[in-house]
Amino acid sequence: MNGENNVSIIEVAALADVSTATVSRVLSGKRTKNDDISRRVRKAAQSLNYEANYAASALRSDVTKSYGLLIETVQDTFTAQMVDALEQAANTADRQLILAIGMNRETREERLATLYSRRIDGLIAVARGKGARTGGDESTNGPDDQGIQGHRIADFAASHPDFSVVQISGNAPTLYANWVGMDDSGTIQLAIDHLTARNATSIAFLGDFPNNMLTANMFATFQSTSEITSMYTEPEWSTFGPHTVERGYRDTLGIFSPQSGSGRRPQGLICTSLHVAIGARMALGQLGLSVPEDVKIICITDNRPFTNEELEFTTVSPAYEYMAEETIRLLESRKKSPHWLPAHTMFPPHIVQRASTHAPRFGASDMEQPASRDQ
Amino acid sequence: MNGENNVSIIEVAALADVSTATVSRVLSGKRTKNDDISRRVRKAAQSLNYEANYAASALRSDVTKSYGLLIETVQDTFTAQMVDALEQAANTADRQLILAIGMNRETREERLATLYSRRIDGLIAVARGKGARTGGDESTNGPDDQGIQGHRIADFAASHPDFSVVQISGNAPTLYANWVGMDDSGTIQLAIDHLTARNATSIAFLGDFPNNMLTANMFATFQSTSEITSMYTEPEWSTFGPHTVERGYRDTLGIFSPQSGSGRRPQGLICTSLHVAIGARMALGQLGLSVPEDVKIICITDNRPFTNEELEFTTVSPAYEYMAEETIRLLESRKKSPHWLPAHTMFPPHIVQRASTHAPRFGASDMEQPASRDQ
C-alpha cells in the first residue's frame, strides 16, 4: 500500500458504515477492541490505501515530541523509581521518552551523540542513587568513572545551546543545565521528627560507610538534631558499615547487649539501608524485643519495593512524582531568551509510614502526616 | 533560524575551514569535544542557517527506526536486566526504543494505543519475572490484572497485522506474536549438576510457595533429578514459603537441627530467592558451618545485582543478552509474506558462579564451566 491517492477519512467512514470519529479512534489505536467495527474500519482503510496516509500525516505533524532519557542502568533502585515516574509525567504531557543506557563513560558519550543526531527535543539525564540512598544495590562504577554527573552533562548542554537539558540527582550542576534533586539535609530531621512523634526518647543510627559527603552530612544532622530535640543517644549507638543483613544483625546485638553503658537502650533505630534494617529486626527478635512495640525502625533509603519481608519498613523516600513533573515542565519551557538561567530545584523527601513505626502518636490532630502520593 | 535557503554542507565546511566530514561529525553530535573546531563549525552552520536544514533532513530520512518497549515497571529485577540488555541490542542495530510503562491494565491499553499512533516500527512487550525467578520483589498485580501476558499482546498483534510484535517471558503466546523466553525446566538440572560437580552428595530445596506452575515444575524436576543422579535428600529438606530472610533462617535451622532423622545433613542448598539464601547463610553461621566449605548455596533467581552481601551467591540467570539480540533480530525480519509464522524461542539459563559454591571440582578439565557473558 502506498498513500499517493488522496483518500479522506470521510470515504473510509462511508465504506465502513461508521462515523469519522470511530475511524480515527480505530486507526490511531485508541479503540483497542478487536470487534466487527474495528475490522470493518481497517478493511475499508486498507482497500482505500488510507492507513498509509494516516501514518504519513502523523509523521509530518509536530505533535510527537521526544525527550532523550539517559541513565546508567535501570538496575539501580533510585533510577528505576525515577524512570517509572518520568514515563508517567512524559505521557501526561503527551511526550515520548527515547531510552539511552550508558553503563560506562564511553557508552554514555556514544549514546549522547546518537540521541543528539536523532529527533529529540531535550535531554533528561538521571544520576544513580548514591551512598545511603541506594539501599541494597551500589554496584560501584570504575575508579575513573564518576557516572552521570553535572560536569559532563553541563559540557553537553553548553555545547548544544539549542537543547534543553535537565539533570536529575548527582553532583552539583553548572549554569548550563537545569537540575532537579533531593533535599538531603531534611531527611534525617524528618526521620527524627517521625520517631519523636511516636514517643521514642532515645535513638541509634546505623549508617553507611562514612566515606562520602552524604553520609557525613547525615551523621552531622543526626547529632545536631538529636541534641536540639533532647533525643537521647550514646556514641556506641552510631555505627558505620556495609549495607548487609549480617551487619545490621551484629551491630544491633552490640547496641542492645545488656552490659553496655548506661543501662538505657534505643527506642528508635534509623537505618540507612533496607538490608541493615532487616538484620536489625532479626537481632531484636532474638533478644525478645518487638518491632514496633519496643523499638521503632525507620529506613533512609529509596529501596521501596525491592522486598517483601514479613514486616514492612517505614521509609523516607524521594518525591519521585514531583521531581518527574518538574523535569518535564522545565523541558517544556525551553530556554529561548539570551537571559535564560537554569533552574536548580531541590525537593524535600517524604515519609511513607509502614508497620515498623506504627504506634499511637503523641500530640494533637495537627501532627497528622500529610497524605502521601505513594501507594 | 529557519532552513528555507539551500545551504550545502560544503559552504559550512569552507566557512569553518574544516572538512565536510568534520562538519557532519560535529553537527550530528558524533564529535563530542567542545574545542575551537567544534565552535567554528557550529558558528558557521548557525550563520548560514545550516543546522536547521540538517535536522530537517534527518527528520525526513527513514534511518531512525523506533521500537515501542512496553513494560509494567522497571522496579522488577527481571524487567530491569532485560531492559538494560534490550537497549544495548537496539543500539547495536541502530534502533531506538520508545519507553512505555503501564503499571495496570488500563494504563497499558492506553500506552499501546499511544505507541501505535506514533511512528514506531514494532513492539516489544516484557512480562514481569514471575514466582521464584523474581528474587526479592514480587509486588503482585491486582486480582484481575494478569500483567503483560500472551493473551492481550496477541490480541494487539492480531489486530495490527502491519506490526511486528515480540513478547518476552510471561505466559504462552499465540500464533500472532513472536515470543522469547527462558527454558525453566533446565534451571534446576543445571543447579544440581553444578553442586554435583563440586562434590555435594546431599541437597535441600528451599522453594517458593507452591501455588504456581513454575514452582510445581521446579520441585518435580528437583525430585526426579536428585533421584536420577543419586543425590541424597529427605522430605523435610524441601520447604516452601515466602521470599524472606527470616524464613530462610528458620527453615535452615530446622533442616540442620541435630535431632532430625538420619543424622545426615545437606551439603548443598538450592534457594529460589536471594533473601532466603541470605537467611540460610546466617543460620549456618550460627550453627558453626561455613559457606562454601561445609555447605554450598546456589540461588535460582534473576536478582543478580540488587545486593552487596559479604558473601556473593552463585546464581542461575536468564541469558538476557541472547534474548535481547533475538528480540531485535525478530523485529528486523518483519512479517511480510502471507505464510508468516511467529517464532517461539526458549533460551536456557546459565550459571554465574560466585563465592557461595566456590570449591575444588570433581573431575577433569572438560567439566570447565563455559565462560559467562555476564560481568
Side-chain angles (χ1 to χ4, degrees):
Chain A
M1 25 168 158
N2 67 65
E4 296 306 298
N5 55 344
N6 258 317
V7 180
S8 89
I9 194 168
I10 300 169
E11 296 169 67
V12 179
L15 184 60
D17 198 19
V18 298
S19 71
T20 54
T22 302
V23 173
S24 165
R25 289 181 60 244
V26 169
L27 296 184
S28 71
K30 288 207 167 115
R31 185 172 200 282
T32 51
K33 248 185 172 170
N34 185 30
D35 59 5
D36 187 52
I37 292 177
S38 293
R39 277 190 294 272
R40 239 157 55 212
V41 169
R42 273 193 297 273
K43 207 171 158 191
Q46 199 166 9
S47 69
L48 294 169
N49 271 352
Y50 181 74
E51 189 161 10
N53 287 342
Y54 180 85
S57 87
L59 175 59
R60 274 191 307 270
S61 84
D62 211 7
V63 177
T64 300
K65 276 203 175 178
S66 308
Y67 295 129
L69 174 60
L70 179 69
I71 61 179
E72 291 177 52
T73 169
V74 279
Q75 299 174 50
D76 166 78
T77 53
F78 174 79
T79 305
Q81 288 173 86
M82 203 64 236
V83 167
D84 276 355
L86 283 167
E87 197 275 348
Q88 184 81 37
N91 191 72
T92 304
D94 207 18
R95 301 296 177 248
Q96 63 189 17
L97 296 180
I98 313 268
L99 189 62
I101 303 183
M103 313 225 183
N104 55 50
R105 190 194 292 184
E106 205 172 58
T107 325
R108 279 194 296 278
E109 291 295 330
E110 190 202 302
R111 294 295 196 278
L112 268 178
T114 308
L115 276 178
Y116 185 66
S117 73
R118 286 174 177 168
R119 187 197 171 203
I120 64 169
D121 306 283
L123 175 72
I124 305 167
V126 182
R128 267 177 200 244
K130 288 286 177 213
R133 286 174 300 135
T134 55
D137 65 321
E138 34 170 15
S139 17
T140 48
N141 300 320
D144 55 337
D145 183 5
Q146 301 289 302
I148 289 178
Q149 294 298 338
H151 179 63
R152 182 57 194 102
I153 299 300
D155 258 15
F156 181 81
S159 60
H160 299 86
D162 52 325
F163 214 69
S164 273
V165 176
V166 178
Q167 184 190 323
I168 299 180
S169 189
N171 284 352
T174 72
L175 284 181
Y176 294 102
N178 297 299
W179 183 83
V180 170
M182 194 167 94
D183 178 5
D184 290 316
S185 72
T187 303
I188 294 286
Q189 287 177 35
L190 260 178
I192 294 182
D193 285 356
H194 183 81
L195 293 172
T196 306
R198 278 150 195 82
N199 303 328
T201 58
S202 52
I203 44 171
F205 179 76
L206 277 66
D208 199 7
F209 280 120
N211 56 357
N212 65 44
M213 206 58 161
L214 180 61
T215 314
N217 271 339
M218 276 194 178
F219 183 54
T221 313
F222 174 78
Q223 289 189 302
S224 59
T225 308
S226 29
E227 200 161 315
I228 290 165
T229 59
S230 306
M231 186 68 106
Y232 182 79
T233 188
E234 297 182 8
E236 295 74 28
W237 294 3
S238 288
T239 72
F240 302 91
H243 291 170
T244 66
V245 176
E246 296 195 35
R247 178 246 162 156
Y249 181 82
R250 274 197 311 269
D251 285 2
T252 306
L253 284 184
I255 291 170
F256 282 82
S257 67
Q259 65 269 34
S260 83
S262 63
R264 291 191 70 166
R265 59 170 211 222
Q267 295 168 343
L269 294 186
I270 298 179
C271 300
T272 58
S273 127
L274 184 65
H275 278 185
V276 169
I278 291 172
R281 197 233 165 173
M282 287 182 71
L284 292 172
Q286 199 138 317
L287 295 167
L289 296 170
S290 303
V291 179
E293 292 78 5
D294 302 312
V295 182
K296 285 155 195 62
I297 301 182
I298 187 166
C299 214
I300 311 294
T301 177
D302 48 29
N303 201 336
R304 174 157 54 106
F306 287 94
T307 183
N308 59 341
E309 286 303 303
E310 282 147 37
L311 179 93
E312 296 222 298
F313 292 99
T314 297
T315 55
V316 189
S317 301
Y320 296 105
E321 290 82 0
Y322 292 106
M323 290 165 72
E325 282 166 19
E326 175 66 5
T327 299
I328 301 296
R329 197 191 66 75
L330 287 169
L331 290 175
E332 299 285 304
S333 60
R334 312 279 298 265
K335 39 179 169 177
K336 279 167 191 151
S337 84
H339 308 297
W340 179 87
L341 276 178
H344 295 172
T345 315
M346 289 207 288
F347 286 83
H350 62 255
I351 287 187
V352 183
Q353 176 165 1
R354 302 203 185 79
S356 72
T357 63
H358 188 76
R361 283 183 299 117
F362 177 80
S365 59
D366 63 354
M367 297 181 68
E368 201 64 34
Q369 286 297 119
S372 159
R373 291 180 62 178
D374 287 57
Q375 309 209 337
Chain B
M1 25 169 157
N2 67 64
E4 295 307 298
N5 55 345
N6 257 318
V7 180
S8 89
I9 193 168
I10 300 169
E11 296 169 66
V12 180
L15 184 61
D17 197 19
V18 297
S19 71
T20 53
T22 303
V23 173
S24 166
R25 289 182 60 244
V26 169
L27 295 183
S28 71
K30 288 207 166 115
R31 188 174 197 284
T32 50
K33 249 185 173 170
N34 186 30
D35 58 6
D36 187 52
I37 293 177
S38 292
R39 276 189 295 271
R40 241 158 54 212
V41 169
R42 273 192 296 273
K43 208 171 156 190
Q46 201 166 8
S47 69
L48 295 169
N49 269 354
Y50 181 73
E51 188 160 15
N53 287 343
Y54 181 85
S57 88
L59 175 59
R60 273 191 308 270
S61 85
D62 211 8
V63 177
T64 301
K65 275 202 175 179
S66 309
Y67 295 130
L69 174 61
L70 179 68
I71 60 178
E72 289 177 53
T73 169
V74 279
Q75 298 172 53
D76 166 77
T77 54
F78 174 79
T79 306
Q81 289 174 84
M82 204 64 237
V83 167
D84 276 355
L86 284 167
E87 197 275 348
Q88 184 81 38
N91 191 73
T92 303
D94 207 18
R95 301 297 178 246
Q96 63 189 16
L97 295 179
I98 313 268
L99 189 62
I101 303 183
M103 312 224 184
N104 55 50
R105 189 193 293 184
E106 205 172 57
T107 325
R108 279 194 296 278
E109 291 294 330
E110 192 202 300
R111 293 298 195 277
L112 267 178
T114 309
L115 276 178
Y116 185 67
S117 73
R118 285 174 178 168
R119 187 198 172 203
I120 63 168
D121 305 282
L123 175 71
I124 304 168
V126 182
R128 267 178 200 242
K130 286 289 176 211
R133 286 173 301 136
T134 56
D137 63 320
E138 35 169 17
S139 18
T140 47
N141 301 319
D144 55 338
D145 184 4
Q146 301 289 304
I148 289 179
Q149 293 298 339
H151 178 64
R152 182 56 194 103
I153 299 299
D155 258 14
F156 181 81
S159 61
H160 298 86
D162 53 326
F163 214 68
S164 273
V165 176
V166 178
Q167 183 189 324
I168 298 180
S169 188
N171 283 352
T174 72
L175 284 182
Y176 294 103
N178 298 298
W179 182 85
V180 170
M182 193 166 96
D183 177 5
D184 289 317
S185 72
T187 303
I188 295 285
Q189 286 178 35
L190 260 180
I192 293 182
D193 285 355
H194 183 81
L195 293 172
T196 306
R198 277 150 196 83
N199 305 326
T201 57
S202 54
I203 45 172
F205 179 76
L206 277 67
D208 199 8
F209 280 119
N211 56 358
N212 63 46
M213 206 58 159
L214 180 61
T215 314
N217 271 340
M218 277 194 179
F219 183 55
T221 313
F222 173 78
Q223 290 189 299
S224 58
T225 309
S226 29
E227 200 160 317
I228 291 164
T229 59
S230 305
M231 185 70 108
Y232 183 80
T233 188
E234 297 183 6
E236 296 75 27
W237 295 2
S238 289
T239 72
F240 302 91
H243 291 171
T244 67
V245 177
E246 297 196 33
R247 178 246 161 156
Y249 182 82
R250 273 196 312 267
D251 284 2
T252 306
L253 284 183
I255 290 171
F256 282 83
S257 67
Q259 66 269 33
S260 81
S262 62
R264 291 191 70 166
R265 59 169 212 224
Q267 295 167 342
L269 294 185
I270 298 179
C271 299
T272 59
S273 127
L274 185 65
H275 278 185
V276 169
I278 292 172
R281 198 231 164 176
M282 289 182 69
L284 292 173
Q286 198 138 318
L287 296 168
L289 295 170
S290 302
V291 179
E293 291 79 4
D294 302 311
V295 181
K296 286 157 194 61
I297 302 181
I298 188 166
C299 213
I300 310 293
T301 176
D302 49 28
N303 200 337
R304 173 157 54 105
F306 286 96
T307 182
N308 60 343
E309 286 304 302
E310 283 146 36
L311 179 94
E312 297 221 300
F313 291 99
T314 296
T315 55
V316 188
S317 301
Y320 295 106
E321 289 82 0
Y322 293 105
M323 290 164 72
E325 283 165 21
E326 175 67 4
T327 300
I328 301 297
R329 194 190 69 74
L330 287 169
L331 290 176
E332 297 286 304
S333 61
R334 313 277 298 265
K335 40 180 172 178
K336 278 166 190 152
S337 84
H339 307 298
W340 178 88
L341 277 178
H344 294 171
T345 315
M346 290 207 288
F347 286 85
H350 61 255
I351 287 189
V352 183
Q353 175 164 2
R354 302 202 186 80
S356 72
T357 63
H358 188 75
R361 283 185 298 118
F362 178 79
S365 59
D366 63 355
M367 295 181 69
E368 201 63 37
Q369 284 298 119
S372 160
R373 292 180 62 177
D374 286 57
Q375 308 211 340

